[in-house]
Structures are given as C-alpha cells and as structure tokens.
Amino acid sequence: MSDTLLKVDDLNVTYPTRTGFTHAVRNASFTLGRERLGVVGESGSGKSTMGRALLGLLPRSARVTAKTLAYEGTDLLNLGERDWQHMRGRRMSMVMQDPKYSLNPVKTVGQQVSETCRLQLKSDGKDAKRRALAMLEAVQIRDPDLVYGFYPHQLSGGMGQRVMIAMMLVAEPDLLIADEPTSALDVTVQNEVLRILDDLVRERGMGLIMISHNLTMVSSFCDRVLIMYAGRIVEECRAADLHNARHPYTRALVAATPSLDARREELATVVRDPEWLK
Amino acid sequence: MIAIDGLDVTFHVKNREIRAVQGVSFEVAAGESFGIVGESGSGKSTVLKAIAGLVPSISRRLEVDGQEAAARRSRADRRKLQFVFQDPYASLHPRKTVDDILREPLEIHRESDIDARVGRALSDVGLLPIHRYRFPHQLSGGQRQRVAIARALILAPPILLLDEPTSALDVSVQAEILNLLKRLRASYSLTSILVSHDLAVVAHLCDRIAIMQFGKLIEIVTAEQLRDGDVGADYTRKLLAASRGFTRVA
C-alpha cells in the first residue's frame, strides 16, 4: 500500500514518576494515508504526546514502545539522531501550538523561515530568501517583505501562527502534524489558516494529523477522527459522523459542547466511567 | 440596571492614540443576562472594565444600579459589581489559600459572620470543605474558576461581570461551569454581562447579545435571532458562518 504514510500499531508512551510510571499513551493503533486525520481529546488525554512521539520529539525520560511505528516503510523506533534529522523537515514536520513559545524570540521571521530552506532544501541565501517570501505570501501574510524583518514579538497571534506554518511548509513535508494550530486564533482567521492547510492536502497530497480539542472545527475540517481519553484511542469515526458517535465519552463530549443550532437549558456533563480505561 | 451611552475608551501608548472603544451604547435590564461577542482587539473586555471602573472612560451616561457611576468608585459602588476573569490560573493569589481568597472581600467590606459565609460560598459553587484550606495550585482549572465565582458572589452583588470565564477550560469542565453560572444567576437573581469570543457560549447563556468589531458596537440581537441567522450586519453573518465550522470555498 503506497498510499499509507504512517502505520502505528500498539504505541505506548510512559514517563517515570516518583511513584511508578505514568502511562501517557496506551495501545494506540492507527494508519494514516494522504488525508486529514483529526485527533481530539481533553487536556491530558495524550494527544500531543502521541503527536510528538511520531516525530521522536519526546524527552529522553519518556519510554516509547510499539509493535510497529513506521513511516513509508521506515521503522521510526530505532532511528538515531542523525537519521531523525533526515526524517524531520522534508518528510514529516510539526506545527506547534503556541507561537509565543515556539518561535525563536531573537531571530527575525525571515531568518527562521529561510533557515528551513537552507537546511532542508540546501538552498543558497538568495534562493532561501525568495522561497521564504513566497511561502509567507502563500500563508496570506499581507506584506511579506515587511514581516520578513520582524521579530516574533512584533507579530500578532494569528500572524505568528501563520509564520510557524510557513516555516514547516516551506520544506514541503509529506506529513504534517499540527498541534492545535488554530486554538490561539479568532474564528475568522482560523478558517483562513485551515484553508491553507486544506489546499496543501488537496494539491500536494500531503498527509495531515490535526490535534485539537475543538470538536466543531475537527468535525467540519477532517476526513477521519480519533477520539482519545486517558491515553487511549476510544473511538475512530468519520469526521462527518462525529455527532452520531458510539462511544459514551465521545457522545458526552458532543453533548457538553454548547451549540448554535440547538437550544439547551442545561448542558450535559461528562460522567466518567472507569470501564473506559479497560 | 446598567445604562451606557456613547462610551469611549482611549489608551495612549507612546505617541499613539488607541481608541479601544468608540461610542458604545446599550442598556441592560435588571435580571437580564447580556452578552458581548467579538474577536481579539474588538474592545469587548474594555467595555466590561469601563463599567467596573477599572479603566478611565468618557461617556454621556454610565449608570450602574440607577446611579451615575463616578470616575472614582466608592466602596459601596464596587460592591455592586463583581468580576470573574478569564484565566483562573492568573486571577487567584498563588500564596493564599481558598479560605484567605474568599475571606478577603468580606473583610474589606467589613462584613460579619465571615466563617459561615465562606463555607456557604464554597458549597454554593459545588466545592467541598476539604478544598477550603488548599492553595490554588492544588486545584484543577475548573475548581479554580469555581473559587473565582465564589469570590465574586460572596458579597451577594446585584451585578456579575464575566470576562471569558470558560475559555481556558476543557469542554466537559466548561459545561459544568456554564451550568453552575446559569443556576447561580437564577438563585441570586443576578444581572450579568458575559464577554466571550465563542458565539455558542454566549448564545447559550445570554438573552441579548451585542456584536463588537474594532471598538464599535455593530448590532444587538437576541439569542434566537443569532441562532436563526436573523441578523442585520454582514460581519455578524461572517462570524456566525465561521463559528459553525470550516467551509470549503468552491
């Protein structure tokens, strides 16, 4: 199957703590093709940890085990740091959540975006600048020449988020993991950013993993959704069917979300069942 | 209960003048729950702060509880309005226990029977006696926001101002806090103003909703009108479409 980008079978991530182990991701299995896959769950459900594990970005203390963790046939479990350098950037990449913390505060936008071109595409300085400017324009930054020389503190949240997306996309990865790429953005800007990602999936056949807690956004944007609870994938369904989900946790999440369509006196609260952990 | 006419708030940053709120007018009746929505920088939180007297403002009229609000508020003025802020991690003093936090407003306003009232306030917001002597870092985000709500309500104010009270919380916790706010609003017969960027949250909690953009009030609609898409301004329509999720442009 050449269309499968990523194959994950029985992925587990544990962290040592003073009293034993914290099981952050439990027995996660899924495959990803050239599609938009959503991963939803509440804080602490392990969704970001899983995203980072796929890119080998977890701290040294984390223990990652799996039966299979393969990207286009390459086993990711036993990659050395040098091999990871070849994987990250051109083949798979990640957009982090918060531009305030994820951009280098003492480097200009231009330096950071063109650095990717120089390292990943082996561009010379001139070519890197040209590509960086074109990419900034592609993510709808109105005045790329001006923003190129800006430092991160001069950017608004929405612009920072777009700069990070530009930084990752300029290397043209085949798989992009986006961790809450729009949670800091206003709804109208959010949809612009989603449109950029959508174009890339359609035009370039990129695979996209969208990590988010926003059910409305994921169900309207993605093709398929994984729902995570306490480190476990409790349900997988088509995004459009999220509102008819089967698992009680998914149903509870949907019912707890205030909606513009249905008027409810009282929102349903999530009653957690220990059975879900088994 | 609250009447605002021609409210202006201007900030001076270096040599620039930022007109955060420009000519905003609305009235909120007693017992009503009013909502303000808008995107970042629309001035929605600043309106709330101006009502509470937390930022200097200019207006033709700014009435709270039937009285013109003075530029400098007296203690009695302040007691009428209580505020719940967005970030429960930042709005509670990290080195004070829940007990200290809830005691403080009562002590400032020289109330009596403080011990019993702190206990009642805790049970009102669904916290247990074991939470009383904990520090904020020993509580979850939802519990902290409950403490912030208890602190606001402990003086039994007629007016509650809520600035994005659930935007830092997970949906399941948000649902609990929204239900709590609805219940308390009824039992305390509160007049409230809720500011949020989330249209669904505002439509859930409020009767009438003001839409703001670039410091100006675009229009005021009822929750039903918002739900039905029966709105006048293009901007409101755009905001509504965006809130319903992603749509592909053909």
Side-chain angles (χ1 to χ4, degrees):
Chain A
M1 280 221 311
S2 61
D3 254 14
T4 306
L5 277 174
L6 190 69
K7 192 165 171 10
V8 180
D9 187 14
D10 201 17
L11 174 71
N12 280 278
V13 180
T14 52
Y15 288 103
T17 61
R18 259 182 295 178
T19 50
F21 286 93
T22 302
H23 217 139
V25 178
R26 300 163 193 251
N27 318 101
S29 304
F30 66 94
T31 56
L32 176 82
R34 299 183 180 276
E35 58 178 334
R36 290 157 299 195
L37 177 71
V39 179
V40 293
E42 299 190 281
S43 350
S45 60
K47 54 192 194 305
S48 295
T49 305
M50 188 171 82
R52 284 166 177 261
L54 300 178
L55 265 176
L57 288 175
L58 290 173
R60 241 170 247 282
S61 61
R63 226 185 56 198
V64 182
T65 59
K67 283 204 192 94
T68 319
L69 184 61
Y71 175 79
E72 287 188 313
T74 313
D75 178 18
L76 298 179
L77 283 170
N78 300 307
L79 286 187
E81 222 14 75
R82 191 168 269 275
D83 304 318
W84 270 119
Q85 294 301 338
H86 292 292
M87 288 305 290
R88 295 191 200 119
R90 288 227 66 179
R91 305 190 62 190
M92 52 206 287
S93 194
M94 186 163 183
V95 177
M96 303 287 178
Q97 188 166 3
D98 195 333
K100 273 205 189 77
Y101 299 108
S102 306
L103 289 172
N104 187 337
V106 295
K107 279 188 168 180
T108 64
V109 166
Q111 282 171 330
Q112 296 186 59
V113 181
S114 59
E115 182 185 25
T116 316
C117 304
R118 279 188 290 105
L119 292 177
Q120 301 293 343
L121 306 173
K122 310 285 175 243
S123 305
D124 57 45
K126 221 174 175 179
D127 183 50
K129 178 163 185 181
R130 189 183 54 76
R131 281 172 189 269
L133 284 172
M135 196 67 226
L136 288 175
E137 192 160 11
V139 294
Q140 318 254 318
I141 283 184
R142 248 166 253 137
D143 193 342
D145 289 297
L146 180 72
V147 174
Y148 192 87
F150 273 7
Y151 285 92
H153 75 266
Q154 294 171 293
L155 305 171
S156 68
M159 270 158 88
Q161 200 64 264
R162 279 182 259 193
V163 166
M164 287 209 299
I165 291 172
M167 230 164 100
M168 299 305 147
L169 290 183
V170 78
E172 307 188 336
D174 294 321
L175 165 63
L176 184 73
I177 300 170
D179 189 358
E180 304 268 11
T182 61
S183 61
L185 306 180
D186 281 325
V187 272
T188 50
V189 183
Q190 168 178 311
N191 281 0
E192 279 173 41
V193 170
L194 292 179
R195 219 156 278 146
I196 297 163
L197 293 174
D198 188 49
D199 288 346
L200 286 157
V201 174
R202 284 156 173 257
E203 286 163 18
R204 300 206 13 254
M206 183 177 78
L208 176 69
I209 297 182
M210 175 75 93
I211 298 171
S212 177
H213 66 275
N214 187 335
L215 291 166
T216 316
M217 188 267 275
V218 168
S219 65
S220 59
F221 179 72
C222 295
D223 302 309
R224 261 192 319 143
V225 189
L226 306 175
I227 294 98
M228 289 190 74
Y229 174 72
R232 212 176 279 271
I233 297 174
V234 293
E235 182 162 13
E236 180 189 330
C237 66
R238 280 196 28 205
D241 298 335
L242 194 62
H243 290 263
N244 306 313
R246 285 180 312 276
H247 194 278
Y249 177 65
T250 318
R251 299 174 71 108
L253 275 189
V254 171
T257 312
S259 155
L260 274 170
D261 298 316
R263 188 188 158 78
R264 300 190 188 113
E265 255 331 291
E266 182 117 324
L267 294 168
T269 49
V270 181
V271 182
R272 284 151 219 278
D273 185 344
E275 279 292 309
W276 299 347
L277 294 175
K278 287 187 184 142
Chain B
M1 198 57 144
I2 297 168
I4 295 173
D5 188 15
L7 180 76
D8 273 312
V9 180
T10 309
F11 295 115
H12 296 272
V13 182
K14 289 180 189 164
N15 300 321
R16 276 170 56 212
E17 194 175 70
I18 296 164
R19 301 189 62 196
V21 178
Q22 303 168 32
V24 168
S25 309
F26 60 80
E27 286 183 24
V28 183
E32 191 184 3
S33 54
F34 191 75
I36 306 178
V37 288
E39 300 189 289
S40 5
S42 62
K44 55 190 191 302
S45 294
T46 310
V47 169
L48 214 57
K49 286 184 182 154
I51 295 170
L54 297 177
V55 293
S57 62
I58 300 170
S59 59
R60 283 191 289 275
R61 192 156 73 111
L62 175 53
E63 270 180 31
V64 175
D65 199 12
Q67 284 171 21
E68 183 64 32
R72 203 179 144 70
R73 307 287 171 93
S74 69
R75 193 176 294 167
D77 289 337
R78 291 188 188 279
R79 141 170 226 158
K80 286 182 197 158
L81 313 145
Q82 292 293 321
F83 221 114
V84 176
F85 296 95
Q86 173 173 13
D87 188 350
Y89 297 84
S91 62
L92 299 179
H93 196 299
R95 307 218 16 206
K96 287 189 173 178
T97 62
V98 172
D99 185 67
D100 297 331
I101 290 165
L102 296 183
R103 227 165 238 285
E104 200 172 13
L106 294 172
E107 281 165 359
I108 290 171
H109 291 275
R110 305 201 183 106
E111 294 284 323
S112 55
D113 198 19
I114 289 178
D115 243 10
R117 289 177 68 175
V118 170
R120 267 207 304 279
L122 278 176
S123 70
D124 251 5
V125 295
L127 289 172
L128 301 170
I130 52 160
H131 296 123
R132 185 161 172 175
Y133 297 100
R134 291 214 180 146
F135 287 98
H137 74 267
Q138 296 169 308
L139 301 173
S140 68
Q143 287 170 335
R144 279 181 234 210
Q145 201 58 299
R146 284 171 195 266
V147 173
I149 293 168
R151 173 176 61 186
L153 291 179
I154 202 162
L155 289 165
I159 300 164
L160 186 62
L161 304 176
L162 303 155
D163 189 0
E164 302 265 14
T166 61
S167 61
L169 307 174
D170 272 326
V171 272
S172 62
V173 185
Q174 166 173 287
E176 289 168 19
I177 297 290
L178 291 179
N179 287 342
L180 173 73
L181 285 171
K182 252 193 162 167
R183 183 168 63 72
L184 291 172
R185 217 173 48 197
S187 64
Y188 281 76
S189 37
L190 287 168
T191 306
S192 64
I193 303 183
L194 169 79
V195 162
S196 177
H197 68 280
D198 189 329
L199 266 71
V201 166
V202 175
H204 175 72
L205 220 54
C206 303
D207 313 322
R208 283 193 310 143
I209 295 142
I211 290 97
M212 285 189 68
Q213 185 191 24
F214 306 137
K216 293 193 176 121
L217 198 148
I218 303 287
E219 65 177 322
I220 297 178
V221 296
T222 65
E224 275 68 42
Q225 286 173 320
L226 196 67
R227 265 197 211 97
D228 300 341
D230 176 19
V231 295
D234 283 342
Y235 177 69
T236 315
R237 228 165 273 135
K238 188 175 152 202
L239 210 55
L240 262 174
S243 303
R244 286 183 192 277
F246 176 71
T247 40
R248 230 143 261 144
V249 265

